[in-house]
């Protein structure tokens, strides 16, 4: 390789600034800051490195600094939104830096003119964000120049100018870049840099919020980030009594608990084998007799949740109060508490054979491993329900189902995938397999349990976290990362929740009269 070719090659390196970089930094600043302020003095750079060396970042090319970003940590409440640049930097002394502060304050970013177009500014901004996250700071705040405003100052106000830049009607060399890097404008401030003639002394107060910030991090008992799901693809078989049924349930609870699962999901009507005891009865009478076992099963499920330290989403069972027959899923938390979710939409078959009626409410349940929703089988085919739960900050949607044929399963499966994408959540589904001869309306089963995710770079390429074999009794145990959902909602390629046109439409729950 020739010496000339070596000189043309770039060797970029991101690192912290050293005082020996001063001449390179001064040369860049003198070139780009002819009007407002000029370059930092050596003493000012020395002070900034001294108080916060980690916050002074540069990019070098073949040993020469070509771009830099400087910052300090401040207790932002001391200054508030109506500060000037001199006030928050201590007139360049940086004695305002506070290691116990909550905000990373950007004091400067600059790129050598010869390196414009190489997106070095984006690299520096990404490094700042990483620093903010690693230091567990609330946000990054900076005062931003709007150098393009001088061309429009006689026509529009600074606020209108900012709106035009946001809508890309106008390009501003500073603000357009900051907006593209996920900063939002908190307000317009005046006299931030009085000497900045191009901005007419106006500036934008910009903020990037650290979505991973934990205000009071505890040593134990924090909200879990990685949650382990255990799904039971249940085989229908004859059981002589409730004891036999619960013995099989305990086997699976024990199995997923052995892998330290946070949740165990069972399918809809997992207790249907108990119908065999009432084969001589009409179908509607038989299901009401099976409902007599529900309280006992729930009590024993609660005990299993406690003893095996796992939250059990107990599929669904019939509940009959003498007036209404309903399909209900119990959440048995491992702290000993229970709650329930009724199936809202009843299929024509369920109504005709058994006389089920739908419930009237839906909610998100708080657990020690995230906020969860439960939609029983047919309910997941109604997108409004998933959206209502998503608006209550649901992390994981559990869908216990029972389907007899492949086309019935595909309805549940396809809609579950859609719920994961449109609501930016995980969706876990499971059903039953096998056959129940001589049990009317529950004789054949079809299932393929799965865990689905949103579809973006942070998730599996096909949005399938895990998937069981078709029609085989088995379990799925897999981890889901709740922090990735937060990232998706704030910085995803698309943001289905955040970008809804609420100015045009919304979903409202009607209270039952």
């Amino acid at each position: 390789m020739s010496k000339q070719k070596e000189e043309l090659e770039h060797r970029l390196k991101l690192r912290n600034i050293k005082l020996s970089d001063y001449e390179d930094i001064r040369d860049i600043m003198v070139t780009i800051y002819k009007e407002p302020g000029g370059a930092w003095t050596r003493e000012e750079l020395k002070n900034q490195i001294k108080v916060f060396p980690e916050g002074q970042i540069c990019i070098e090319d073949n040993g020469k600094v070509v771009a830099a970003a400087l910052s300090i940590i401040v207790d932002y409440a001391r200054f508030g939104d109506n500060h000037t640049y001199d006030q928050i930097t201590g007139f360049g002394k940086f004695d305002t830096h506070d290691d116990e502060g909550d905000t990373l304050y950007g004091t400067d970013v600059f790129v050598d003119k010869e390196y414009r177009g190489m997106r070095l500014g984006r690299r520096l901004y990404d490094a700042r964000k990483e620093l903010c996250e690693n230091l567990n700071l609330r946000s990054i705040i900076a005062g931003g120049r709007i150098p393009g405003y001088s061309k429009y100052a006689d026509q529009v106000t600074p606020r209108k100018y900012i709106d035009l830049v946001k809508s890309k009607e106008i390009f501003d060399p500073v603000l357009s870049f900051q907006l593209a890097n996920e900063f939002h404008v908190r307000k317009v401030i005046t006299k931030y840099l009085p000497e900045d003639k191009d901005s007419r002394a106006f500036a934008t107060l910009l903020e990037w919020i650290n979505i991973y910030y934990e205000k009071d991090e505890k040593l134990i008992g924090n909200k879990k980030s990685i949650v382990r799901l255990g799904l039971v693809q249940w085989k229908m078989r004859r059981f002589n009594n409730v004891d036999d049924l619960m013995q099989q349930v305990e086997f699976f609870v024990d199995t997923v608990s052995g892998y330290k699962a946070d949740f165990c999901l069972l399918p809809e009507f997992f207790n249907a084998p108990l119908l065999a005891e009432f084969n001589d009865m009409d179908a509607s009478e038989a299901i009401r007799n099976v409902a007599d076992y529900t309280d006992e099963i729930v009590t024993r499920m609660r005990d299993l949740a406690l003893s095996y330290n796992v939250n059990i989403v107990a599929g669904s069972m019939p509940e009959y109060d003498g007036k209404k027959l309903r399909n209900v899923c119990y959440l048995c938390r491992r702290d000993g508490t229970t709650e329930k979710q009724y199936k809202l939409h009843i299929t024509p078959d369920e109504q005709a054979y058994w006389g089920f009626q739908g419930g009237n409410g839906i909610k998100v349940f708080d657990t020690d491993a995230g906020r969860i929703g439960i939609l029983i089988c047919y309910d997941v085919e109604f997108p409004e329900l998933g959206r209502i739960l998503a608006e209550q900050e649901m992390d994981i949607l559990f869908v216990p189902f029972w389907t007899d044929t492949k086309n019935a399963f595909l309805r549940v499966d396809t809609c579950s995938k859609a719920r994961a994408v449109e609501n930016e959540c995980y969706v876990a589904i499971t059903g039953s397999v096998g056959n129940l001869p001589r049990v009317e309306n529950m004789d054949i089963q079809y299932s393929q349990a799965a865990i689905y995710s949103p579809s973006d770079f942070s998730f599996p390429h096909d949005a399938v976290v895990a998937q069981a074999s078709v029609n085989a009794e088995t379990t799925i145990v897999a981890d889901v990362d709740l922090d990735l959902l937060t990232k998706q909602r704030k910085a995803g390629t698309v943001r289905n929740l955040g970008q809804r046109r609420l100015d045009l439409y919304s979903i409202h729950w009607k209270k039952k009269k």
Side-chain angles (χ1 to χ4, degrees):
M1 183 181 294
S2 68
K3 182 177 180 181
Q4 183 179 12
K5 186 172 183 181
E6 284 182 357
E7 290 175 350
L8 292 174
E9 281 189 345
H10 291 295
R11 290 182 174 86
L12 299 179
K13 180 180 179 181
L14 181 74
R15 61 171 173 83
N16 288 114
I17 293 173
K18 299 174 290 187
L19 188 56
S20 59
D21 297 317
Y22 176 71
E23 282 74 18
D24 290 342
I25 290 172
R26 180 200 57 200
D27 291 346
I28 300 171
M29 294 187 74
V30 167
T31 302
I32 64 175
Y33 291 152
K34 292 180 180 179
E35 289 289 340
W40 295 106
T41 66
R42 178 183 289 271
E43 191 63 25
E44 287 171 333
L45 181 63
K46 180 179 179 181
N47 286 342
Q48 201 153 358
I49 294 172
K50 180 180 178 181
V51 299
F52 187 33
E54 300 87 354
Q56 320 320 320
I57 304 164
C58 70
I59 297 174
E60 69 168 44
D61 185 15
N62 289 302
K64 178 184 177 182
V65 174
V66 296
L70 298 91
S71 58
I72 56 175
I73 299 173
V74 297
D75 178 1
Y76 192 70
R78 285 183 53 201
F79 303 94
D81 287 347
N82 295 315
H83 61 267
T84 67
Y85 186 77
D86 284 339
Q87 287 170 343
I88 206 157
T89 63
F91 293 89
K93 296 177 182 177
F94 307 108
D95 52 8
T96 52
H97 174 79
D98 182 357
D99 285 326
E100 301 301 318
D102 62 353
T103 300
L104 187 67
Y105 195 90
T107 60
D108 220 332
V109 175
F110 43 84
V111 178
D112 190 314
K113 286 186 177 181
E114 297 293 326
Y115 287 77
R116 300 285 170 85
M118 293 180 64
R119 295 182 172 85
L120 301 188
R122 179 173 296 180
R123 295 195 196 194
L124 293 170
Y125 269 51
D126 287 345
R128 264 188 183 168
K129 293 173 187 176
E130 183 180 5
L131 180 65
C132 183
E133 291 172 358
N134 290 338
L135 292 175
N136 191 37
L137 299 174
R138 182 180 60 82
S139 65
I140 303 173
I141 287 182
R145 300 176 60 232
I146 43 175
Y149 179 59
S150 59
K151 299 177 183 178
Y152 300 88
D154 296 335
Q155 306 169 39
V156 297
T157 64
R159 185 168 296 278
K160 179 62 177 176
Y161 176 79
I162 291 168
D163 288 339
L164 290 170
V165 174
K166 285 182 179 178
S167 61
K168 300 189 183 301
E169 296 294 331
I170 293 175
F171 174 81
D172 184 277
V174 176
L175 180 58
S176 295
F177 169 76
Q178 291 163 330
L179 294 174
N181 280 275
E182 301 174 334
F183 279 73
H184 71 273
V185 179
R186 281 179 63 139
K187 65 174 297 183
V188 178
I189 47 181
T190 59
K191 300 180 180 179
Y192 181 72
L193 281 171
E195 65 271 26
D196 185 3
K197 296 179 182 179
D198 287 340
S199 302
R200 297 292 177 92
F202 291 106
T204 56
L205 188 66
L206 296 144
E207 182 176 34
W208 176 83
I209 297 173
N210 177 13
I211 58 178
Y212 303 116
Y213 172 62
E214 293 286 348
K215 184 176 181 181
D216 295 308
E217 190 169 353
K218 298 178 289 185
L219 295 179
I220 61 173
N222 289 306
K223 178 183 176 182
K224 294 176 71 72
S225 170
I226 304 299
V227 175
R228 184 160 295 175
L229 308 183
L231 280 57
V232 178
Q233 187 156 276
W234 173 267
K235 182 177 180 180
M236 291 293 192
R237 52 169 63 82
R238 288 295 188 100
F239 296 112
N240 295 321
N241 49 47
V242 174
D243 287 338
D244 284 351
L245 174 77
M246 292 307 298
Q247 184 180 46
Q248 189 67 15
V249 170
E250 183 171 4
F251 164 77
F252 282 114
V253 172
D254 184 16
T255 298
V256 300
S257 174
Y259 291 102
K260 301 187 184 304
D262 295 295
F263 290 97
C264 177
L265 174 65
L266 294 166
E268 181 182 24
F269 290 136
F270 71 93
N271 65 336
L274 298 177
L275 283 166
E277 182 182 345
F278 308 104
N279 271 344
D280 57 335
M281 298 180 181
D282 177 82
S284 61
E285 186 180 0
I287 198 72
R288 284 164 174 77
N289 275 275
V290 170
D292 290 340
Y293 295 121
T294 295
D295 286 345
E296 178 184 353
I297 293 173
V298 172
T299 298
R300 294 173 72 164
M301 284 282 193
R302 181 197 61 199
D303 293 342
L304 290 177
L306 281 167
S307 60
Y308 286 99
N309 191 31
V310 61
N311 300 298
I312 300 176
V313 182
S316 83
M317 295 169 277
E319 177 187 274
Y320 183 56
D321 63 4
K323 296 180 180 179
K324 292 182 178 180
L325 177 69
R326 291 186 287 191
N327 189 352
V328 61
C329 175
Y330 276 85
L331 167 63
C332 300
R333 298 186 184 90
R334 53 186 165 194
D335 65 2
T337 59
T338 61
E339 290 193 74
K340 58 185 176 181
Q341 174 64 59
Y342 289 109
K343 188 173 185 177
L344 304 188
H345 296 88
I346 305 304
T347 66
D349 186 72
E350 290 169 334
Q351 200 284 325
Y353 269 87
W354 293 314
F356 274 106
Q357 298 184 47
N360 298 313
I362 194 170
K363 65 175 290 188
V364 167
F365 302 97
D366 283 309
T367 75
D368 60 3
R371 291 172 60 79
I372 72 165
I374 301 170
L375 293 179
I376 303 172
C377 197
Y378 192 31
D379 281 343
V380 80
E381 299 176 32
F382 295 83
E384 299 88 348
L385 298 183
R387 180 49 50 83
I388 289 169
L389 293 173
E391 289 175 343
Q392 298 175 41
E393 300 180 346
M394 170 184 65
D395 298 310
I396 307 168
L397 175 61
F398 289 98
V399 183
F401 69 87
W402 171 79
T403 53
D404 53 352
T405 61
K406 184 174 182 178
N407 60 311
F409 161 74
L410 287 175
R411 289 195 295 268
V412 172
D413 185 65
T414 303
C415 291
S416 296
K417 293 176 181 176
R419 301 299 85 84
V421 170
E422 67 199 14
N423 297 309
E424 297 171 333
C425 66
Y426 295 105
V427 180
I429 69 171
T430 196
S432 54
V433 302
N435 305 306
L436 277 178
R438 298 180 60 230
V439 175
E440 187 176 1
N441 207 39
M442 294 292 294
D443 46 352
I444 59 174
Q445 331 287 323
Y446 191 102
S447 174
Q448 186 175 25
I451 302 169
Y452 299 122
S453 72
S455 183
D456 211 337
F457 296 116
S458 297
F459 303 96
H461 72 95
D462 54 0
V464 179
V465 177
Q467 197 167 42
S469 300
V470 177
N471 286 341
E473 184 174 40
T474 188
T475 60
I476 292 177
V477 179
D479 290 342
V480 295
D481 188 340
L482 302 189
D483 282 347
L484 291 181
L485 298 181
T486 305
K487 179 180 179 181
Q488 174 68 26
R489 293 162 186 167
K490 295 292 184 181
T493 304
V494 294
R495 302 159 201 174
N496 297 75
L497 282 177
Q499 294 184 321
R500 287 170 294 151
R501 288 291 304 275
L502 297 179
D503 57 321
L504 300 179
Y505 61 86
S506 61
I507 297 174
H508 297 286
W509 185 266
K510 295 181 179 179
K511 293 183 179 180
K512 183 175 174 60
K513 297 181 179 179

